[in-house]
Amino acid sequence: MGTTPQATHVADVPAAMDRALALAALGPAHGPNPRVGCVLLAPQRHGDTHRTVIGEGWHRGAGTPHAEVAALADARARGNDPRGTTAVVTLEPCNHTGRTGPCAQALLDAGVAEVVHALDDPGAASGGGAAHLRDHGVPVQPGPRQAEALGLVRAWHHAVRTGRPYVTLKLATTLDGRVAALDGTSRWITGPDARAHAHAVRATVDAIAVTTGTALADDPALTARTPDGTRTEHQPLRVVVGHRDLPTTSRLHGPGGELLHLHTHDVHHVLDELHTRHVRHLLVEGGPALATAMLRAALVDQVHAYIAPMLLGTGPTAVNPLGITTLTAAPRWQTHHLQQLGPDALLVARTTDTSHTPDQES
């Protein structure tokens, strides 16, 4: 069923999980559903050192078959009987009916003998697939690569677990944290490589948010574009936060994702509204007022800090005062990733609360 090369043998379950993770990564990072991959291993016979892969699949987006169902269909298309197989899945099979039926029941109906999954499903509605399988006599085992599986579904996992979108705050500053010069000029602090990376990130999120102040001052389109200026296939929801109206000539009324204007300054209301719209990953791009409000409310989960090797010494900063008066009161973040982008640098930092994640981060 896929367009990727089909493996014929794997040595063990960890290798099958690696393959399932590679398949899962083919699915879209955006959207209401998680990226999941599944590999079906033929029944193990005494003395076997390799188990044949008889089917594999991944989830291609909302409304399409889930990974387990795709793998079962792939097995049958190859002329293989899935009875007695081991399903190696990156995420616990779901146990609810949405646009598609429950994967746990599909595996039962197909006669799968064992399930190994890397990550538990935290959803109140979608979770429980492992218990359903066990209740019907199918052993379910925790699998390897939990951190890698979480890395593929981090925003979805967070949104399902907490009831609000995963929030990434984008900052583009000079070395001394300035976002514009004293005269207001700000284009461009970072170079084309950093801007291209930022557009690639836009193409993976569900929504982008700015304030009405930023929308009125900069007239952004808030589209995701390739380096040659072409709009990408996926365009995130464009969210404007604030009470002032936007002119009908605004670029936000032009081609791109749907425009949602939330006439509020309450960031909790913003996230509640976006959650009802199944937004899993929100990118906050501007301005300082929205960044500050999100940080003050402890609602930022990740920061993408694009830093240009430039000094201004004065001018507006990326974040307004947070009310922190002593160093010990400052929140500490974990540096997750550092990358050079042309002359600029990207630092990705995440909150230090990892109580819901595996011991090793992806």
Side-chain angles (χ1 to χ4, degrees), residues 1-4 6 20 23-24 26-27 36-40 53-61 63-80 82 87-89 93-94 100-104 106-107 110 112:
M1 288 198 53
T3 59
T4 57
Q6 295 180 343
L23 292 167
L26 299 174
V36 183
C38 177
V39 170
L40 295 177
V53 173
I54 72 157
E56 55 185 27
W58 71 95
H59 184 49
R60 300 167 186 257
T64 66
H66 289 190
E68 298 92 329
V69 174
L72 291 170
D74 181 48
R76 292 170 180 134
R78 298 190 201 188
N80 296 324
V88 180
V89 196
C94 71
T100 59
C103 293
L107 294 173
V112 169

